[in-house]
Amino acid sequence: MSKEAKIAVLGGGSWATAIVKMLSENLDTVGWYMRSVYAIEHIKRNKHNPNYLSSAELHPEQLDLSDDINEIVDNYDILIFAIPSAFLKGELDKLTVSLKDKVVFSAIKGIVPETGLIVGEHFHDYHSVPFENIGVLTGPCHAEEVAMERLSYLTLACEDEEKAKNLSKYIASRYIKTKISDDIIGTEYAAMLKNIYAIAAGIAHGLGYGDNFQSVLMSNAIREMKRYIKKVHKMKRNINDSAYLGDLLVTGYSVFSRNRMFGNMIGKGYTVKSAMMEMSMVAEGYYATKSAYEINQKNGAKTPIIDAVYNVLYGKKEAKDEFEKLTNRLN
Amino acid sequence: MSKEAKIAVLGGGSWATAIVKMLSENLDTVGWYMRSVYAIEHIKRNKHNPNYLSSAELHPEQLDLSDDINEIVDNYDILIFAIPSAFLKGELDKLTVSLKDKVVFSAIKGIVPETGLIVGEHFHDYHSVPFENIGVLTGPCHAEEVAMERLSYLTLACEDEEKAKNLSKYIASRYIKTKISDDIIGTEYAAMLKNIYAIAAGIAHGLGYGDNFQSVLMSNAIREMKRYIKKVHKMKRNINDSAYLGDLLVTGYSVFSRNRMFGNMIGKGYTVKSAMMEMSMVAEGYYATKSAYEINQKNGAKTPIIDAVYNVLYGKKEAKDEFEKLTNRLN
């Protein structure tokens, strides 16, 4: 045990739980920070997270669980953050220990609402983590299928590819294959944008559009994503790689996606407020839509789908009218 | 009526029926050839095709129905063929009237098994139709959603774009949008290849792979399609346009696709023969797999997915083993 990497997961949701499960295949000890003392006790006693991904069997004897974020950050070298972006800043505000010498991987899809930055930039600007120590862990991956041990492919992106390769050794297993990338900005934006497109897919479905339209929407979405990311960070990338197109598809075509579900309710006529109350959880794409739209006001990529979702969610426009207009901007 | 275009559809299946419905929105008279006298009589009496797409309401007073292919070919200028590729040659062998001066659009996905040619080339080589008179009508489009009048986008491709534009005027309607392309070879191959990928998606599902893998498979499939088509006909095209990626998605993600269903049975352990008998219909992708594989033996594009499907369907390889190998060739 002495020589193995010291890796911890921060967050108590489904995706955090799935990553802990992956790491447990390879490590004797996995650090795990979560807020809820109740959930920690439940995991220790019952070998399952009570609220999220309860189907995944956990091995408490391998888990170093703590509700003290400083203890976990202090004791581990590689930190994988899987806290919803809307709550990230609140958690990081608790830190008294520095992140400066840590390797920080983000498994978060979204933008930190308080700073308007993607997660990597937030860690860099507000916690002095050098870019070569910042990475992204991205899908296409439903946590539920990790629990079922169904084959999934993850992409690990880091400017310093060695760090991505190193972590990938502990992520890969019988049911997880990994791919390395150096496009941390692009993969992070892709992970964020796909949630907006999933909302769009949901709205379309709620309005009564069928599979033919859905496929046109997704085919336009990937082209829009390419244009958008190119403006943010120009580099050679194949937008049809799994981390971009695959991630878009697994979310856009999933009936379990919270973002798609949220969009579906909007399409069926719920107000934003009532859809959120009904779901009793946050659809990350809701916040992503605002950030993505505002960022693009400067960049000027042609983004008819993001514009339409923004107009519906923030511009008080009727989904029906807005999507009718959208159909004429797609091809 | 005197000045309207003289357009006929040839074929009696779902897709033919859907195209007749589209044209009926714009034309006073649509020519329609089908083999079955029984179906013709049924349509005239009951306003529905008895066997295919029965949900579509037809207007017999607008239809010039005939079971004589020569009569229809003789009387119409623009001919839209929607006969399964496996039966096309048999039908064309009945012709005594020349196709030389006709505009021929293919709505057929596949390769003519007897000649190993895509449909456009077959019309050119065996029926002296000049290439500038040959076009392709392609999706993404489930016929079923045309019957329901759900918004769909079709692509019309022709070397002579004016001919595509002309036909598109009669295809477009309240629920159909059209796009023009000059890539007849590429769109036709895409329409053929997507059926092979739908079989692959079905096999994977039958073997128990989940949505995470499915999205990786589709993301690899579109990259493979791009490589494949580039070898066949190099030109500037965006593989993420609806006619390529959209068409792949609508088929690959459809639980109604015959090709996907066929693959699913193979994945679940049916033999090719028993799967075909069980379905009592031909999965076009079955023939496409052989043709596509053989064509690529000369071209040498990297096609792990086509290879795997070929090995399962024609090489007597176990689907389970072959797909396990495939998972290592994807990323």
Side-chain angles (χ1 to χ4, degrees):
Chain A
M1 218 182 91
S2 60
K3 271 185 165 179
E4 74 172 15
K6 293 194 68 66
I7 306 176
V9 175
L10 297 96
S14 302
W15 191 215
T17 309
I19 298 168
V20 166
K21 182 179 155 68
M22 296 176 206
L23 293 169
S24 302
E25 303 284 347
N26 297 304
L27 287 166
D28 291 327
T29 305
V30 179
W32 191 2
Y33 160 72
M34 64 175 77
R35 275 189 303 186
S36 164
V37 181
Y38 161 75
I40 290 177
E41 289 310 314
H42 187 101
I43 292 169
K44 285 183 179 164
R45 262 198 315 278
N46 303 303
K47 305 187 176 187
H48 297 279
N49 188 336
N51 303 314
Y52 299 102
L53 208 69
S54 322
S55 56
E57 200 191 331
L58 302 169
H59 303 284
E61 70 281 7
Q62 285 175 261
L63 304 176
D64 174 19
L65 278 151
S66 172
D67 68 333
D68 180 351
I69 190 168
N70 283 295
E71 185 188 321
I72 294 292
V73 169
D74 205 20
N75 287 337
Y76 290 85
D77 304 323
I78 302 173
L79 307 170
I80 304 176
F81 282 85
I83 294 164
S85 53
F87 306 132
L88 182 66
K89 187 167 176 300
E91 290 295 325
L92 293 176
D93 283 347
K94 299 178 188 169
L95 282 181
T96 54
V97 177
S98 167
L99 289 174
K100 199 159 61 67
D101 298 322
K102 306 293 178 178
V103 171
V104 172
F105 270 78
S106 163
I108 300 169
K109 294 131 177 63
I111 274 197
V112 183
E114 295 90 343
T115 60
L117 298 175
I118 54 171
V119 175
E121 291 169 341
H122 183 87
F123 277 113
H124 178 267
D125 290 7
Y126 288 83
H127 296 274
S128 311
V129 185
F131 274 123
E132 67 266 25
N133 282 359
I134 294 174
V136 170
L137 176 66
T138 186
C141 195
H142 289 305
E144 290 70 20
E145 294 199 344
V146 175
M148 291 188 273
E149 304 189 355
R150 284 188 169 169
L151 182 64
S152 306
Y153 291 64
L154 296 185
T155 293
L156 293 100
C158 188
E159 241 183 56
D160 178 355
E161 292 201 10
E162 282 311 311
K163 294 197 175 99
K165 272 185 201 155
N166 179 47
L167 178 57
S168 80
K169 284 187 298 190
Y170 299 98
I171 293 279
S173 68
R174 184 169 35 88
Y175 53 87
I176 302 288
K177 293 190 190 287
T178 55
K179 181 170 178 174
I180 307 302
S181 156
D182 60 352
D183 182 19
I184 58 163
I185 308 280
T187 52
E188 213 175 331
Y189 270 98
M192 173 182 104
L193 294 174
K194 66 140 196 269
N195 287 332
I196 307 173
Y197 299 128
I199 292 179
I203 294 176
H205 186 258
L207 288 168
Y209 290 91
D211 294 347
N212 291 352
F213 180 72
Q214 231 31 285
S215 71
V216 171
L217 184 66
M218 287 299 122
S219 132
N220 279 270
I222 193 67
R223 284 175 271 154
E224 181 173 309
M225 183 189 278
K226 184 177 176 175
R227 291 192 298 268
Y228 189 106
I229 299 180
K230 195 176 169 188
K231 291 275 185 186
V232 176
H233 183 59
K234 195 170 172 175
M235 67 173 274
K236 199 171 148 58
R237 68 173 64 84
N238 188 343
I239 202 73
N240 288 345
D241 279 350
S242 296
Y244 314 95
L245 177 63
D247 207 17
L248 171 67
L249 295 180
V250 84
T251 311
Y253 274 104
S254 166
V255 287
F256 303 109
S257 153
R258 285 172 299 185
N259 293 293
R260 197 174 186 282
M261 218 180 293
F262 173 71
N264 190 38
M265 292 173 85
I266 302 292
K268 286 200 186 308
Y270 281 70
T271 61
V272 170
K273 206 171 165 186
S274 57
M276 281 189 169
M277 276 165 54
E278 185 80 21
M279 289 180 64
S280 72
M281 50 175 20
V282 187
E284 286 184 319
Y286 174 72
Y287 301 109
T289 301
K290 188 160 185 287
S291 307
Y293 180 85
E294 286 169 358
I295 290 168
N296 195 52
Q297 289 309 298
K298 290 159 244 158
N299 292 341
K302 192 183 147 210
T303 56
I305 305 173
I306 294 173
D307 299 352
V309 175
Y310 179 84
N311 290 339
V312 172
L313 298 186
Y314 294 94
K316 295 184 192 298
K317 294 283 170 62
E318 285 293 328
K320 189 173 172 299
D321 302 341
E322 205 56 33
F323 269 60
E324 235 163 68
K325 267 192 266 169
L326 176 62
T327 63
N328 292 318
R329 301 186 67 192
L330 305 180
N331 62 44
Chain B
M1 216 182 92
S2 60
K3 273 184 163 179
E4 73 171 18
K6 293 193 67 66
I7 306 176
V9 175
L10 297 97
S14 302
W15 192 215
T17 308
I19 298 168
V20 166
K21 181 179 156 67
M22 294 174 208
L23 293 169
S24 302
E25 303 284 347
N26 297 304
L27 287 167
D28 292 328
T29 304
V30 178
W32 191 0
Y33 160 73
M34 65 175 75
R35 274 188 304 187
S36 164
V37 181
Y38 160 74
I40 290 176
E41 288 310 313
H42 188 101
I43 292 168
K44 285 183 180 164
R45 261 200 315 277
N46 303 303
K47 306 186 176 187
H48 297 277
N49 188 335
N51 304 314
Y52 298 101
L53 209 66
S54 321
S55 56
E57 199 191 331
L58 302 170
H59 303 283
E61 70 280 7
Q62 286 174 261
L63 304 176
D64 175 20
L65 279 152
S66 171
D67 67 333
D68 180 351
I69 190 169
N70 283 295
E71 186 187 319
I72 294 292
V73 169
D74 205 19
N75 287 338
Y76 290 85
D77 304 322
I78 301 174
L79 307 170
I80 304 175
F81 282 85
I83 294 164
S85 54
F87 306 132
L88 182 67
K89 189 170 174 299
E91 290 295 325
L92 293 176
D93 283 347
K94 298 178 188 169
L95 282 181
T96 53
V97 177
S98 167
L99 289 174
K100 199 158 62 63
D101 298 322
K102 306 290 178 179
V103 171
V104 173
F105 270 78
S106 163
I108 301 168
K109 295 130 178 61
I111 274 196
V112 183
E114 295 90 343
T115 61
L117 298 176
I118 54 171
V119 175
E121 292 169 340
H122 184 88
F123 276 113
H124 177 266
D125 290 8
Y126 289 83
H127 295 274
S128 313
V129 186
F131 273 122
E132 68 265 25
N133 283 357
I134 294 174
V136 170
L137 176 66
T138 187
C141 195
H142 289 306
E144 289 70 18
E145 293 200 343
V146 175
M148 292 188 272
E149 303 189 354
R150 285 188 168 169
L151 183 64
S152 306
Y153 291 64
L154 297 184
T155 293
L156 293 101
C158 189
E159 242 181 55
D160 178 355
E161 291 201 13
E162 283 309 312
K163 290 192 177 105
K165 275 184 200 157
N166 179 47
L167 179 56
S168 80
K169 286 187 297 188
Y170 299 98
I171 293 280
S173 67
R174 186 167 35 89
Y175 52 89
I176 302 287
K177 293 189 189 289
T178 55
K179 182 172 177 172
I180 306 303
S181 156
D182 60 351
D183 183 20
I184 59 165
I185 308 279
T187 52
E188 211 172 336
Y189 270 98
M192 172 183 104
L193 294 173
K194 66 138 195 271
N195 287 331
I196 307 172
Y197 300 128
I199 291 180
I203 294 176
H205 185 258
L207 288 168
Y209 290 91
D211 293 347
N212 291 352
F213 180 73
Q214 226 38 280
S215 71
V216 171
L217 185 66
M218 287 300 121
S219 131
N220 278 270
I222 193 67
R223 285 176 271 155
E224 180 172 310
M225 184 189 276
K226 184 179 176 173
R227 292 192 297 268
Y228 189 106
I229 298 180
K230 196 177 167 184
K231 291 276 187 187
V232 175
H233 182 60
K234 195 170 172 174
M235 66 174 275
K236 198 170 150 57
R237 66 172 66 83
N238 187 344
I239 203 73
N240 287 347
D241 279 349
S242 296
Y244 314 95
L245 177 61
D247 207 17
L248 171 67
L249 296 180
V250 84
T251 310
Y253 275 104
S254 167
V255 288
F256 303 109
S257 152
R258 285 172 299 187
N259 292 292
R260 198 175 187 282
M261 218 180 294
F262 174 71
N264 189 39
M265 294 173 84
I266 302 292
K268 286 200 184 307
Y270 281 69
T271 61
V272 170
K273 205 169 164 186
S274 56
M276 280 189 168
M277 274 166 54
E278 186 79 21
M279 288 182 62
S280 73
M281 50 174 22
V282 186
E284 285 184 320
Y286 173 73
Y287 300 109
T289 302
K290 188 161 186 286
S291 306
Y293 179 86
E294 286 170 356
I295 289 168
N296 195 52
Q297 289 310 297
K298 289 160 245 156
N299 292 342
K302 192 182 147 212
T303 56
I305 306 173
I306 294 172
D307 299 353
V309 175
Y310 178 85
N311 289 340
V312 172
L313 298 186
Y314 295 94
K316 293 185 195 300
K317 295 282 169 61
E318 286 293 329
K320 189 173 173 300
D321 303 340
E322 204 57 33
F323 268 60
E324 235 162 69
K325 266 192 268 170
L326 176 61
T327 63
N328 292 318
R329 301 186 68 192
L330 304 181
N331 65 43

